[in-house]
Amino acid sequence: MKISEFLQIIDTIAPWELAEAWDNPGLLVGDPEEEVTGVLLCVDATPAAVDCAAARGLNLILAHHPLLFRGTKHLRADEYEGALLMRLVRRGISLAAAHTNLDRAPGGVNDCLAARLGPREVTGLLGELPCLGRVGVIDTCSLPDFLAAVKEKL
């Protein structure tokens, strides 16, 4: 399967058009026509994630948070973003992200968090779904008890 085909599958789960306008999901580094040898899933692309993918022979990282948000004006090894991009390219690893599109998608991050935390009367943050965030009703409890419940459930 090519990277472009893998990203088409992601699009069926978390459509790219659900992403917020400020977000930057999709293929960030790499060749869409390259064959996928394996995929590493992570929240953030980090040097450790790149090293882990390389050690396992995986050539695609799918991160939740995009590495590139603003226009990149230079690529320097002495700066975090530049060093990470160079590490990816040198190791032949592509990077894609599914961020707010995965948050908003039916069955995505927000729905999974709501299901895990168990509020009642869950709706979208602004009413209609899919939207960024979920709102629900929880039983009255103290903040420390609520935080302990979140910690236990997540």
Side-chain angles (χ1 to χ4, degrees):
M1 168 186 309
K2 293 181 180 181
I3 291 174
S4 61
E5 295 167 328
F6 177 83
L7 294 176
Q8 288 172 357
I9 293 170
I10 298 300
D11 185 53
T12 66
I13 298 165
W16 305 113
E17 64 266 10
L18 290 180
E20 294 291 313
W22 52 263
D23 198 8
N24 190 26
L27 185 62
L28 304 172
V29 174
D31 179 356
E33 296 306 307
E34 186 174 354
E35 289 291 322
V36 175
T37 62
V39 181
L40 177 81
L41 302 175
C42 59
V43 175
D44 292 299
T46 63
V50 176
D51 293 346
C52 181
R56 288 166 174 73
L58 313 175
N59 68 340
L60 177 60
I61 294 175
L62 178 61
H64 183 56
H65 297 129
L67 177 61
L68 302 165
F69 271 109
R70 298 167 211 67
T72 300
K73 297 191 185 257
H74 56 265
L75 187 61
R76 294 177 45 155
D78 62 341
E79 295 179 357
Y80 182 82
E81 186 176 275
L84 191 54
L85 289 167
M86 291 173 73
R87 188 183 215 116
L88 286 160
V89 171
R90 285 181 178 148
R91 297 217 164 114
I93 299 172
S94 297
L95 173 63
H99 188 213
T100 55
N101 56 310
L102 186 57
D103 289 339
R104 294 175 70 178
V109 174
N110 292 330
D111 286 341
C112 288
L113 284 171
R116 187 80 174 160
L117 295 173
R120 298 182 315 277
E121 303 172 28
V122 176
T123 63
L125 187 59
L126 301 174
E128 292 184 33
L129 295 175
C131 72
L132 203 53
R134 302 292 183 267
V135 176
V137 177
I138 60 168
D139 294 327
T140 302
C141 64
S142 68
L143 181 58
D145 288 346
F146 174 72
L147 295 176
V150 170
K151 181 178 177 183
E152 178 185 322
K153 292 176 181 181
L154 298 182

